[in-house]
Amino acid sequence: MPAVSKGDGMRGLAVFISDIRNCKSKEAEIKRINKELANIRSKFKGDKALDGYSKKKYVCKLLFIFLLGHDIDFGHMEAVNLLSSNKYTEKQIGYLFISVLVNSNSELIRLINNAIKNDLASRNPTFMCLALHCIANVGSREMGEAFAADIPRILVAGDSMDSVKQSAALCLLRLYKASPDLVPMGEWTARVVHLLNDQHMGVVTAAVSLITCLCKKNPDDFKTCISLAVSRLSRIVSSASTDLQDYTYYFVPAPWLSVKLLRLLQCYPPPEDAAVKGRLVECLETVLNKAQEPPKSKKVQHSNAKNAILFETISLIIHYDSEPNLLVRACNQLGQFLQHRETNLRYLALESMCTLASSEFSHEAVKTHIDTVINALKTERDVSVRQRAADLLYAMCDRSNAKQIVSEMLRYLETADYAIREEIVLKVAILAEKYAVDYSWYVDTILNLIRIAGDYVSEEVWYRVLQIVTNRDDVQGYAAKTVFEALQAPACHENMVKVGGYILGEFGNLIAGDPRSSPPVQFSLLHSKFHLCSVATRALLLSTYIKFINLFPETKATIQGVLRAGSQLRNADVELQQRAVEYLTLSSVASTDVLATVLEEMPPFPERESSILAKLKRKKGPGAGSALDDGRRDPSSNDINGGVEPTPSTVSTPSPSADLLGLRAAPPPAAAPATSGAGNLLVDVFSDGPAAQPSLGPTPEEAFLSELEPPAPESPMALLADPAPAADPGPEDIGPPIPEADELLNKFVCKNNGVLFENQLLQIGVKSEFRQNLGRMYLFYGNKTSVQFQNFSPTVVHPGDLQTQLAVQTKRVAAQVDGGAQVQQVLNIECLRDFLTPPLLSVRFRYGGAPQSLTLKLPVTINKFFQPTEMAAQDFFQRWKQLSLPQQEAQKIFKANHPMDAEVTKAKLLGFGSALLDNVDPNPENFVGAGIIQTKALQVGCLLRLEPNAQAQMYRLTLRTSKEPVSRHLCELLAQQF
């Protein structure tokens, strides 16, 4: 950089800054600034032309005033004029002013761009660097459009100075982050990658930052950087601190560049070339060896630089997850940091070991440090370190140490920080469920959890214990006995009352033989808690009381007296009042047989993912619960599958904030008719979060199928049916589907509920279910505005021959939809024979007098009519061989578009409709499924096999069916989900 001459000191600026600092009050400062602004304005407007030094001085003063927080509305043109100066200091001040004060919408931007172009073409490295810095600092799209094509050329030019290359690489990185579409890298890719071999370490450092960003979007284009990065890393790691003197930081050679190279390598799987991979493994071993060497300096900067490289190396080893020796060594190295006096190192070690615990190669090595981690949980003063210790205990837990870890986490919960108690509760609940060696231990653990941290036990936790107790006959008596004893405590948490009320209402008869827990004693114990509970808990207890009348007739008079009390029949809360009235009437009017039928024991809940695990994932974000999602370490562990969250109530009145569509959780069978309540339209009823599969309740399948049949002509119901709707418009009468129609359709291939479409006017939600060749779909149209929709007309259109393949009966909806209101449309669907294209949904209406229309693809695909089929391995392979004709098989090999998670893959395949067959494929990582597509005309058998390759981030999907078009179509549908 040019030397600053003696006359460039700008004494006037120094005096002005001194005056500002000496001001005794804000008013004095403003007065001095206004005086200076007036002086500068007069100088700029004066007849006498200012020389470069004066312009520079006054522009500097304006910049200083702006940085003090005052607005500057003049002087911009003088700053632009400084750009044409040949003096470095004047040009520098001009660029500095523009970078700080000129926005992309300024009228001067064209003049600025011309000055920048002149400097970029000047071949003066100092001026070129100033111009590049200005482009990066402004970083607007206009700047990108003007210079994005020139900067790569400067970057790879053979005659560019090293300092210019550095600035060009970082400038290009800035523009790429702001507007990726403006940076055309196709022709420059190979030459940019080759910068990793540049002799100047500064150029390499800047180039690595650029390539790391570029390869995240286009990994295949920059794949050649792997060997060059390994080569450069090898040279740095094997060099002595004296070899790279300019880039050695406290005896550590090029630490920043080393870290950047290690991060670049984490963008790719392990190198395929054996020589490159061997060299990289050697580098990683060298870093681990150097970590064991005594420090060359006692200064903290040395240890920080050394540890930065070490932790990034461990991150790369974990990313590859393919070298058992390196993984174990990394674990041992982190284990040494667990007792380090530096808090940050302990935190980072715990965090890295959480990831190591999910690897099959290093899990056992991580478990050897369990005592140290437990000690950290008890003694660490920093809450963030304690939280990481709890995370690590959760990650390292398996069948062999589950009881120890759960007991330690329960003990810690008593004194845990309030901020992390809910998370600890969720983890204890998940571990107790996952590794329960016997169900009595699980019940004891959850009740202990409620006793210790009842306020932090979410509904998902006590829902889950109720599911498991309901589904396991062998634990019901023990659960009833245990919860009865827990309720006897003087201070009993409300969640314990909820669990006790539900379990005793269902299984209290199992302990009624003991005089100490006779029916009157059970009722008295529960009712003693009644007046201390919230409305929701009282409602649950009232349901328990009516269950008691069925289980224990001797309590009928006592309970009816409670229900008949004025405090219940005239309760201010409508929910409690309604329950009391209905339950009292039910117990008085219904015969014993009717009462027994209505109030029979809850059926087992259907199997599905633990709602607690789903909650923890939502709380922690993607990747949470990896130790449980994996299913890798302990395939024999008990996963106590429950069903949909139970609502231990039998009558419910939805509140305005209720889940109107039932997409979050399906309620259990109702014992009494449920009343409908007004619901708020724009509540998050279309949540895409973990939701129970919709159910029509306990009606048998035949009832469901019969409900979908149209009423017979002579039936009285036929007279009440809607009149036949007008003829649907044909495909030629509607516009083409919206551009994102295919993307919206793909979201529903493996699920039945959610938001199909949403814009600023309209929200369309879907809730559907299918059985055999029949289906029912509810479409919910929500008006998101405050203006009424007129002539609202949603219609279903069958393109091509779809009319002969799929029958759809639609119900009419109201022609007006008020602002903020929601209307529902019911569709009954029958699959006549296999089809490839979905029907179209055309929605037309008038909003504010203007016609609105949109066309979507209705989420009805052939896989919706899948019936899962269980079969043994022998039957599967026999059928697989029978479907061996080339036209019966469709196969696709494709790259993973989403993170490869076994649990997510399993959920998608189940949502697709097939049954997952265990112990069929010799490779346990593969997924095998079977099902039958039910149509009215015929049945189409289907077998599938999905082979994930985690190392290559690829899938191979093979489908065999008895019909060629179905094979290809199902293969395309399913491949898009991964």
Side-chain angles (χ1 to χ4, degrees):
M1 189 173 288
V4 179
S5 64
K6 191 173 181 180
D8 285 333
M10 292 188 288
R11 184 173 178 275
L13 175 64
V15 170
F16 174 61
I17 293 174
S18 178
D19 290 347
I20 294 294
R21 288 177 175 172
N22 292 330
C23 289
K24 302 298 184 184
S25 64
K26 186 70 176 176
E27 291 75 15
E29 178 183 306
I30 293 173
K31 184 178 179 181
R32 178 67 181 91
I33 287 173
N34 288 336
K35 178 181 176 182
E36 191 64 39
L37 287 174
N39 177 52
I40 297 172
R41 199 186 300 268
S42 66
K43 295 291 185 183
F44 284 167
K45 289 185 177 180
D47 298 332
K48 184 180 178 182
L50 295 174
D51 59 6
Y53 170 80
S54 299
K55 283 184 183 178
K56 178 184 70 171
K57 179 177 66 174
Y58 293 133
V59 167
C60 256
K61 287 183 178 180
L62 290 176
L63 185 58
F64 179 72
I65 292 170
F66 175 78
L67 296 177
L68 288 176
H70 300 271
D71 292 333
I72 299 297
D73 55 2
F74 69 99
H76 299 75
M77 194 63 204
E78 284 70 18
V80 173
N81 291 337
L82 286 175
L83 300 184
S84 59
S85 172
N86 286 324
K87 283 190 175 183
Y88 168 76
T89 53
E90 293 174 8
K91 190 182 289 286
Q92 180 196 34
I93 295 301
Y95 275 125
L96 182 60
F97 186 93
I98 288 164
S99 299
V100 175
L101 271 89
V102 176
N103 61 48
S104 57
N105 300 321
S106 172
E107 298 174 356
L108 301 174
I109 201 71
R110 185 173 296 177
L111 293 173
I112 295 169
N113 286 352
N114 287 335
I116 291 174
K117 281 185 178 178
N118 292 336
D119 283 338
L120 291 179
S122 70
R123 313 312 297 170
N124 182 324
T126 305
F127 293 174
M128 291 176 76
C129 286
L130 285 174
L132 290 167
H133 295 168
C134 181
I135 296 170
N137 285 333
V138 175
S140 65
R141 187 170 182 85
E142 291 74 13
M143 283 278 189
E145 290 172 347
F147 302 109
D150 298 331
I151 297 173
R153 176 180 51 78
I154 295 171
L155 176 61
V156 299
D159 58 346
S160 292
M161 297 283 287
D162 292 334
S163 59
V164 175
K165 287 182 180 179
Q166 280 181 265
S167 298
L170 296 176
C171 180
L172 198 60
L173 174 61
R174 173 71 175 85
L175 293 180
Y176 182 80
K177 287 182 175 179
S179 306
D181 57 304
L182 295 181
V183 181
M185 289 307 302
E187 56 184 304
W188 309 108
T189 300
R191 298 171 72 180
V192 169
V193 170
H194 194 67
L195 290 173
L196 294 178
N197 275 336
D198 198 279
Q199 293 183 350
H200 193 275
M201 298 288 280
V203 174
V204 178
T205 305
V208 172
S209 298
L210 175 63
I211 294 169
T212 301
C213 187
L214 293 172
C215 73
K216 287 178 181 177
K217 187 174 183 183
N218 304 300
D220 293 337
D221 295 346
F222 292 88
K223 203 169 185 179
T224 54
C225 73
I226 297 175
S227 58
L228 297 178
V230 171
S231 175
R232 174 64 75 171
L233 181 65
S234 176
R235 277 180 275 166
I236 295 173
V237 169
S238 59
S239 66
S241 58
T242 55
D243 295 344
L244 302 169
Q245 289 185 354
D246 290 342
Y247 286 85
T248 296
Y249 179 79
Y250 287 88
F251 304 101
V252 181
W256 283 274
L257 178 55
S258 300
V259 168
K260 287 176 182 288
L261 289 168
L262 289 164
R263 285 188 179 168
L264 172 59
L265 291 171
Q266 289 176 51
C267 297
Y268 293 95
E272 297 173 359
D273 186 291
V276 175
K277 186 174 182 180
R279 192 172 184 184
L280 177 57
V281 169
E282 188 179 331
C283 287
L284 301 178
E285 288 178 340
T286 303
V287 173
L288 293 176
N289 291 335
K290 285 187 175 181
Q292 301 292 336
E293 296 175 0
K296 296 180 180 178
S297 170
K298 292 183 179 179
K299 294 194 173 181
V300 69
Q301 291 91 338
H302 171 74
S303 61
N304 283 348
K306 192 175 175 182
N307 290 331
I309 298 173
L310 174 63
F311 276 103
E312 209 59 53
T313 299
I314 292 173
S315 295
L316 181 60
I317 293 170
I318 294 171
H319 170 73
Y320 285 164
D321 195 20
S322 59
E323 296 292 330
N325 181 46
L326 288 178
L327 284 164
V328 172
R329 286 195 61 188
C331 180
N332 294 336
Q333 182 62 53
L334 291 172
Q336 296 177 18
F337 287 141
L338 291 180
Q339 295 178 314
H340 199 279
R341 59 185 177 84
E342 189 67 40
T343 304
N344 289 337
L345 280 181
R346 296 197 301 275
Y347 178 92
L348 291 171
L350 289 166
E351 190 174 47
S352 298
M353 288 184 82
C354 284
T355 315
L356 277 174
S358 64
S359 170
E360 60 182 332
F361 301 119
S362 55
H363 179 69
E364 291 300 322
V366 172
K367 282 168 57 179
T368 61
H369 301 285
I370 184 170
D371 293 333
T372 307
V373 179
I374 290 173
N375 186 58
L377 188 66
K378 295 176 180 177
T379 60
E380 278 288 349
R381 286 186 291 180
D382 191 305
V383 62
S384 60
V385 181
R386 292 199 298 274
Q387 186 167 3
R388 291 288 80 80
D391 289 344
L392 180 53
L393 284 175
Y394 173 78
M396 70 166 63
C397 186
D398 61 16
R399 184 182 283 281
S400 66
N401 57 18
K403 284 194 173 183
Q404 180 187 5
I405 288 177
V406 167
S407 65
E408 290 295 344
M409 292 180 82
L410 279 173
R411 194 173 295 118
Y412 169 64
L413 192 56
E414 297 186 19
T415 57
D417 299 82
Y418 295 111
I420 64 173
R421 282 196 178 189
E422 184 181 5
E423 188 180 320
I424 298 288
V425 166
L426 289 175
K427 288 179 174 175
V428 169
I430 291 170
L431 295 178
E433 175 185 338
K434 182 73 176 178
Y435 301 111
V437 289
D438 61 80
Y439 295 98
S440 58
W441 174 76
Y442 170 75
V443 171
D444 288 339
T445 301
I446 300 300
L447 294 183
N448 204 16
L449 197 63
I450 295 173
R451 180 185 61 79
I452 294 172
D455 289 338
Y456 300 90
V457 175
S458 62
E459 289 187 336
E460 285 83 358
V461 174
W462 68 267
Y463 281 170
R464 192 66 177 160
V465 72
L466 298 182
Q467 293 170 12
I468 291 165
V469 171
T470 303
N471 286 11
R472 300 290 307 189
D473 296 339
D474 55 341
V475 78
Q476 290 166 358
Y478 180 82
K481 176 177 175 292
T482 307
V483 80
F484 176 78
E485 293 171 352
L487 286 172
Q488 293 176 346
C492 187
H493 195 274
E494 189 168 332
N495 280 335
M496 188 71 79
V497 177
K498 291 177 181 177
V499 174
Y502 188 98
I503 291 179
L504 292 179
E506 294 292 327
F507 314 113
N509 59 307
L510 300 178
I511 61 170
D514 189 333
R516 292 171 297 178
S517 55
S518 62
V521 173
Q522 291 186 38
F523 172 74
S524 299
L525 181 60
L526 285 175
H527 196 56
S528 67
K529 315 289 183 185
F530 185 88
H531 304 288
L532 304 174
C533 296
S534 64
V535 170
T537 306
R538 291 187 200 180
L540 185 148
L541 289 177
L542 289 178
S543 297
T544 300
Y545 297 168
I546 191 68
K547 288 266 189 175
F548 271 14
I549 291 178
N550 179 48
L551 289 175
F552 315 121
E554 64 268 29
T555 62
K556 181 175 180 179
T558 307
I559 293 174
Q560 283 183 335
V562 171
L563 296 175
R564 199 176 285 114
S567 59
Q568 305 303 336
L569 294 181
R570 291 189 292 274
N571 198 296
D573 186 88
V574 66
E575 174 76 11
L576 294 179
Q577 185 188 79
Q578 183 177 351
R579 285 179 188 243
V581 171
E582 292 186 0
Y583 290 165
L584 180 60
T585 307
L586 180 64
S587 65
S588 304
V589 174
S591 66
T592 306
D593 292 340
V594 171
L595 204 61
T597 302
V598 173
L599 300 173
E600 65 180 349
E601 187 177 303
M602 286 286 291
F605 294 95
E607 296 183 358
R608 63 186 282 264
E609 181 194 35
S610 166
S611 56
I612 314 174
L613 186 57
K615 181 179 177 71
L616 183 64
K617 287 179 182 176
R618 293 195 299 272
K619 187 176 179 65
K620 297 287 282 183
S626 59
L628 296 178
D629 295 348
D630 218 339
R632 159 204 41 73
R633 293 197 304 272
D634 201 355
S636 62
S637 63
N638 282 330
D639 190 3
I640 311 173
N641 286 307
V644 187
E645 289 82 350
T647 306
S649 58
T650 52
V651 179
S652 61
T653 303
S655 66
S657 61
D659 180 15
L660 301 181
L661 301 189
L663 296 182
R664 299 196 189 98
T675 59
S676 60
N680 184 0
L681 158 73
L682 296 180
V683 175
D684 183 18
V685 294
F686 303 124
S687 170
D688 285 335
Q693 290 296 327
S695 170
L696 292 183
T699 57
E701 186 169 302
E702 293 76 11
F704 170 80
L705 298 175
S706 66
E707 284 180 15
L708 299 185
E709 298 292 338
E714 65 277 6
S715 166
M717 289 302 295
L719 303 176
L720 301 177
D722 289 345
D728 289 348
E732 65 279 356
D733 299 328
I734 65 172
I738 61 175
E740 61 268 29
D742 287 325
E743 181 183 348
L744 297 173
L745 177 69
N746 285 337
K747 292 181 180 179
F748 285 85
V749 170
C750 294
K751 68 175 185 176
N752 291 333
N753 305 331
V755 176
L756 176 62
F757 173 81
E758 185 169 11
N759 63 11
Q760 67 272 23
L761 302 180
L762 178 68
Q763 182 190 59
I764 303 178
V766 176
K767 181 182 178 186
S768 58
E769 66 174 341
F770 299 85
R771 294 186 192 171
Q772 296 184 16
N773 69 314
L774 301 175
R776 176 178 292 156
M777 179 176 290
Y778 297 88
L779 295 176
F780 298 84
Y781 305 97
N783 182 349
K784 295 176 63 177
T785 73
S786 57
V787 179
Q788 186 185 65
F789 290 166
Q790 299 286 341
N791 302 335
F792 188 78
S793 173
T795 52
V796 177
V797 181
H798 297 73
D801 297 332
L802 188 61
Q803 189 88 39
T804 63
Q805 300 162 348
L806 196 70
V808 182
Q809 289 182 343
T810 61
K811 296 283 186 73
R812 282 182 174 176
V813 298
Q816 285 80 34
V817 183
D818 293 331
Q822 172 184 287
V823 296
Q824 171 185 306
Q825 185 179 32
V826 182
L827 279 61
N828 289 335
I829 305 165
E830 182 179 15
C831 181
L832 306 176
R833 57 191 180 89
D834 55 282
F835 61 96
L836 303 181
T837 57
L840 302 178
L841 175 65
S842 171
V843 182
R844 300 181 180 183
F845 59 95
R846 297 186 73 84
Y847 168 71
Q852 306 285 335
S853 67
L854 69 114
T855 304
L856 304 166
K857 292 186 176 181
L858 203 63
V860 181
T861 47
I862 187 66
N863 66 292
K864 298 296 183 185
F865 303 98
F866 244 133
Q867 179 176 328
T869 305
E870 297 288 345
M871 59 174 64
Q874 182 179 354
D875 299 332
F876 178 86
F877 287 116
Q878 181 181 353
R879 181 64 178 152
W880 185 265
K881 290 177 182 176
Q882 291 172 355
L883 298 172
S884 58
L885 296 177
Q887 64 269 26
Q888 293 176 328
E889 179 179 285
Q891 188 176 88
K892 187 167 186 179
I893 299 173
F894 54 95
K895 195 162 187 66
N897 295 318
H898 307 286
M900 299 180 73
D901 185 300
E903 288 299 316
V904 173
T905 302
K906 185 185 296 184
K908 286 184 177 179
L909 291 173
L910 290 173
F912 191 70
S914 67
L916 285 182
L917 308 180
D918 296 328
N919 304 320
V920 172
D921 198 295
N923 184 351
E925 300 295 324
N926 295 344
F927 298 90
V928 175
I932 298 173
I933 294 175
Q934 302 278 351
T935 74
K936 187 175 183 180
L938 76 161
Q939 295 182 340
V940 181
C942 174
L943 303 178
L944 69 85
R945 186 184 190 206
L946 181 66
E947 302 167 83
N949 184 337
Q951 184 172 344
Q953 292 291 296
M954 303 278 287
Y955 288 99
R956 178 166 66 183
L957 173 63
T958 309
L959 268 131
R960 291 187 180 183
T961 73
S962 50
K963 292 200 71 173
E964 176 187 2
V966 176
S967 300
R968 291 198 308 269
H969 184 54
L970 287 176
C971 189
E972 288 296 327
L973 278 178
L974 189 53
Q976 292 169 356
Q977 303 304 308
F978 301 102

